Amino acid sequence: DTGVSQDPRHKITKRGQNVTFRCDPISEHNRLYWYRQTLGQGPEFLTYFQNEAQLEKSRLLSDRFSAERPKGSFSTLEIQRTEQGDSAMYLCASSGAAGEETQYFGPGTRLLVL
Amino acid sequence: AQKITQTQPGMFVQEKEAVTLDCTYDTSDPSYGLFWYKQPSSGEMIFLIYQGSYDQQNATEGRYSLNFQKARKSANLVISASQLGDSAMYFCAMREGGGGTSYGKLTFGQGTILTVHP
């Protein structure tokens, strides 16, 4: 049973560039979450998918951010026109159906915007 | 107001001794879940233990136990027989709302860095 995977693990980009991250959840999990974690802080919720439907978005998710889960399996998080304040760890988590709520996290993508 | 408060920025413990990491929470929802995660320097969040608001017994998972005091709104993590590999950041998190109806997003505390000395 493979866990949650994320790609890439590290990304360095210049301000103004677009970046895209991918998350592959645990295969039987229909719930998928994205979180952002800045240095010294706990993760903060960004958005949630149940199957392919994006059901909740945090106000942290500005217009420059977009997330998709086209076939209810893997998900992508895109940041357009990156800013230095976007530098953070982006964590993906997945969980099973209601009643199996534990979220299992991937290794994260560490983004540095220069 | 903070929903999850971890008042200990750092804790030190001697190998093989027990340590308690504090967590208090704030919610008016009668149905909620409390989680503890471990985050080593590699960055991955590792699930440790879960306590539901309606659970009568304190949760235990191996060397981890959760001291759940509902009236005080506290959910402290107890690690028994500490090991060097326990050195990491520990996060307390809460999910508000019933699992069947809520979206399940987690709210995390600021974390506690645990250092285990040999």
Side-chain angles (χ1 to χ4, degrees), chain A residues 4 9 31 33 35 37 40-45 48 50 55-56 89 91 97-99 101-108 110, chain B residues 33 35 37 39 41-47 50 89 91 95 97-111:
Chain A
V4 179
R9 296 290 306 277
R31 297 183 174 198
Y33 304 82
Y35 293 84
Q37 185 180 24
Q41 303 294 316
E44 294 176 293
F45 170 77
Y48 161 70
Q50 184 163 317
L55 297 184
E56 189 173 3
M89 173 80 94
L91 292 161
E101 305 168 39
T102 298
Q103 292 181 31
Y104 295 93
F105 283 79
R110 203 178 291 273
Chain B
F35 301 80
Y37 286 86
Q39 188 175 42
S41 56
S42 60
E44 184 167 356
M45 300 285 284
I46 301 168
F47 166 71
Y50 164 78
M89 178 75 93
F91 289 99
R95 182 268 306 149
T101 57
S102 80
Y103 295 145
K105 67 181 178 187
L106 296 177
T107 302
F108 286 82
Q110 299 275 65

Side-chain angles (χ1 to χ4, degrees), chain A residues 23 28 38 41 80 112:
Chain A
C23 170
E28 63 269 25
T38 53
Q41 303 294 316
Q80 296 183 326
L112 178 61

Side-chain angles (χ1 to χ4, degrees), chain B residues 47-117:
Chain B
F47 166 71
L48 296 178
I49 196 166
Y50 164 78
Q51 179 86 41
S53 59
Y54 295 120
D55 293 343
Q56 297 294 315
Q57 307 266 12
N58 285 343
T60 60
E61 289 284 351
R63 295 186 298 110
Y64 305 106
S65 61
L66 200 152
N67 184 359
F68 181 45
Q69 298 189 42
K70 196 169 183 176
R72 294 186 180 183
K73 294 189 174 179
S74 77
N76 298 339
L77 176 70
V78 181
I79 305 174
S80 63
S82 297
Q83 301 172 355
L84 296 178
D86 293 335
S87 293
M89 178 75 93
Y90 288 80
F91 289 99
C92 179
M94 177 172 64
R95 182 268 306 149
E96 294 176 279
T101 57
S102 80
Y103 295 145
K105 67 181 178 187
L106 296 177
T107 302
F108 286 82
Q110 299 275 65
T112 296
I113 300 175
L114 176 66
T115 304
V116 181
H117 289 302

Side-chain angles (χ1 to χ4, degrees), chain A residues 3 7 19 32 37 39 46 83 103 111:
Chain A
D7 184 68
V19 294
L32 188 147
Q37 185 180 24
L39 204 60
L46 291 178
E83 302 172 355
Q103 292 181 31
L111 173 66

